Amino acid sequence: MVHMWIIAFSVLSFVISVSSMPLIIAFCKKKGLYDYQDARKIHSGNIPRIGGVGIVISFFISAVLYLCLNNEIRFLHNLPLLLAGCIIFVFALLDDIFTFHAIVKLLAQIAASAIVTIGGFRFTQIFGWHLPVAISFILTFCWILGAINAYNLIDGLDGLCGTLSITAVSLFGFLYLISNNDEAGICFILAASILGFLFWNWPPAKIFMGDGGSQFLGFMIAIIPFYSSGNEIIEFNKFLIMIIVTAFPIFDTIAAIWRRIRDKRPIMSADKSHLHHKLLNMGYSKTQALYLIAGIQILLCIAVGLSFYLGKNKGLVLLVESLVFMVSFFAVIHYTNRAVTLKRQREENLQCENTNPEDSNK
C-alpha cells in the first residue's frame, strides 16, 4: 500500500512540475525575468530563470499530501525540514528577482540550518563513532551551508544541477526503500519534481531553475541523508556515501574556494574555471560535458548501491575506491585543462610573433 502511495504522489509531483513550466516561462517573459550573464554563465540569449518555483511547488504539494495520508510517518518530524526548505527557497527566489547582499542570503541559510539541526536532522555518528554534541552541530552546519552553495555554484550548464540532484535523491530513496523506511517517498517525490523540470531544462534549456531551485535542492540533498535508515550497513557508511553522491558539486566548490584564495580574489566572485568550463575548454561540447559528468555520477550511485550488498567492510572499501577515483578525476581534468590552456597561449604568442616579425626582431 505504501509503495502505491509513493508511486501516486511521485506521478502527481511530476505532472504538476512539468505542466507548470510553460506557465512560469510565460510569466518570466512577461515580467522580463531572464537569467543574467556573468563570468560563470556560458549561455546566450534570454532564458527564464525561476524554474525552481515549479520544482518546489510540485514537491511541497505532493510531499505534504503524502505525509498527511501516510500514518507510518510522523508529520511533525518532517515539519522542520519543510519549514527550513521554504525559508531557503523564498530568500533565494527573492534574490533571483531583486538581488540581495550575500550576507542576507547567508543569514537565511544559517536560520534554516538551525531549524533542521535543532529539529533532529544532524550527524550523530561517523563509521560507528558517536560524535560529541558540539562537533555534531558544527559539522552539520558546515555540511548544510556547503551543500546549499555547492549546488548553487554547479548550476552553470544546461541540465547539470538537475541531473546531479535527481540521481542523488533517487539513490537515497532506493536506500530507504530497501530499508523499509517510508520516508523514501519524500526522495522519490522530489526526484519526480526535478524530472518534470529537466524536460524543459535539458539542452538546449528553455528555462533555468535559478538560485531558488539550486539552493533548495542543495539544502534537500544535504538534509535527506539524515533520515535514519535503520540499517547498520547504510548508517555505518553514510558519511562517506554523502560525500561520494555530492562529490561533483562539493569538490568543484572546494577547488573554486582554493583557486580564489590563491589568486587573492573574493571567495564569492564568479569565474570560468569550474569543472564544466574546463571540459568546454578541453574541447567537449556542452552536451558531451553534461553526459560525461552524468555518466560518472550514475556510476558512483551504482557503486554506492553495490556497497550495501557487499556488507559493511567490503562496502567501505568500494566507497573509498570511489572517492579516490573522484579525487583523481578532478586532478586529471585540472592538469589537462592547464596543459591545453598553456598550449593555446603558446600558439597565440607564436602567431602574434609571425604576424609582427618587426616586433619580434627588436
Side-chain angles (χ1 to χ4, degrees):
M1 182 63 180
V2 173
H3 291 179
M4 293 302 297
W5 282 123
I6 293 176
I7 294 172
F9 287 109
S10 295
V11 170
L12 175 64
S13 181
F14 169 78
V15 170
I16 295 174
S17 177
V18 74
S19 60
S20 69
M21 294 304 160
L23 300 177
I24 296 172
I25 291 172
F27 176 80
C28 289
K29 290 181 177 179
K30 182 177 180 180
K31 298 297 182 179
L33 297 175
Y34 298 113
D35 196 58
Y36 57 86
Q37 300 277 158
D38 64 19
R40 186 166 57 91
K41 306 294 175 64
I42 58 177
H43 72 274
S44 59
N46 294 327
I47 308 295
R49 71 183 185 200
I50 58 172
V53 172
I55 297 175
V56 175
I57 289 177
S58 61
F59 168 74
F60 268 86
I61 292 174
S62 304
V64 169
L65 288 173
Y66 174 74
L67 291 171
C68 290
L69 294 175
N70 191 332
N71 296 326
E72 300 297 324
I73 302 178
R74 291 180 295 129
F75 182 86
L76 290 179
H77 174 64
N78 287 275
L79 187 59
L81 182 149
L82 297 175
L83 178 60
C86 186
I87 291 173
I88 291 293
F89 170 68
V90 168
F91 274 86
L93 177 63
L94 291 174
D95 180 55
D96 279 329
I97 299 172
F98 301 110
T99 307
F100 288 158
H101 191 280
I103 191 65
V104 176
K105 294 182 286 185
L106 179 61
L107 289 174
Q109 293 171 8
I110 291 174
S113 301
I115 290 172
V116 291
T117 304
I118 294 172
F121 292 85
R122 61 185 177 88
F123 289 102
T124 56
Q125 64 84 33
I126 296 179
F127 302 126
W129 177 57
H130 290 277
L131 299 174
V133 175
I135 295 178
S136 172
F137 274 81
I138 293 172
L139 182 60
T140 302
F141 261 79
C142 293
W143 165 255
I144 297 173
L145 293 176
I148 291 172
N149 291 287
Y151 278 84
N152 185 33
L153 286 175
I154 203 71
D155 185 28
L157 186 68
D158 294 357
L160 181 56
C161 186
T163 299
L164 294 176
S165 299
I166 195 173
T167 49
V169 296
S170 296
L171 172 66
F172 278 104
F174 166 76
L175 293 177
Y176 291 135
L177 194 64
I178 61 178
S179 303
N180 296 316
N181 184 342
D182 289 353
E183 283 163 328
I186 300 297
C187 302
F188 290 120
I189 289 170
L190 180 56
S193 67
I194 300 170
L195 181 61
F197 166 75
L198 281 174
F199 267 78
W200 297 90
N201 182 244
W202 204 252
K206 297 178 179 63
I207 189 171
F208 295 149
M209 66 174 66
D211 287 358
S214 60
Q215 290 190 29
F216 174 77
L217 291 179
F219 171 78
M220 292 298 296
I221 292 167
I223 297 302
I224 282 175
F226 290 130
Y227 284 132
S228 175
S229 67
N231 185 284
E232 181 183 359
I233 298 174
I234 295 174
E235 293 302 316
F236 181 81
N237 289 325
K238 185 176 282 185
F239 180 74
L240 195 52
I241 290 172
M242 293 165 71
I243 294 175
I244 291 170
V245 171
T246 61
F248 275 111
I250 294 295
F251 285 9
D252 190 55
T253 298
I254 292 173
I257 293 173
W258 163 247
R259 185 169 60 247
R260 291 161 191 175
I261 292 175
R262 180 197 62 195
D263 297 339
K264 298 181 180 180
R265 293 188 291 112
I267 291 178
M268 299 304 294
S269 62
D271 61 29
K272 282 195 173 182
S273 295
H274 290 279
L275 175 63
H276 49 280
H277 294 127
K278 293 177 180 178
L279 291 173
L280 296 178
N281 186 54
M282 290 163 54
Y284 287 81
S285 68
K286 295 178 183 179
T287 304
Q288 289 172 336
L290 173 62
Y291 284 145
L292 174 63
I293 296 173
I296 295 175
Q297 174 75 357
I298 291 172
L299 290 177
L300 291 175
C301 291
I302 292 173
V304 170
L306 288 175
S307 71
F308 168 77
Y309 294 101
L310 290 176
K312 184 189 298 184
N313 296 325
K314 291 182 179 179
L316 177 60
V317 172
L318 178 58
L319 293 174
V320 171
E321 291 174 345
S322 300
L323 184 62
V324 171
F325 168 79
M326 284 304 295
V327 172
S328 303
F329 173 79
F330 269 81
V332 169
I333 296 298
H334 170 74
Y335 287 108
T336 303
N337 177 68
R338 175 189 287 183
V340 169
T341 301
L342 291 175
K343 180 181 178 181
R344 188 172 294 131
Q345 289 175 349
R346 287 195 297 268
E347 291 175 347
E348 289 176 354
N349 292 336
L350 182 60
Q351 184 177 4
C352 288
E353 291 176 0
N354 293 335
T355 303
N356 303 296
E358 294 182 0
D359 293 340
S360 63
N361 293 328
K362 290 182 179 179

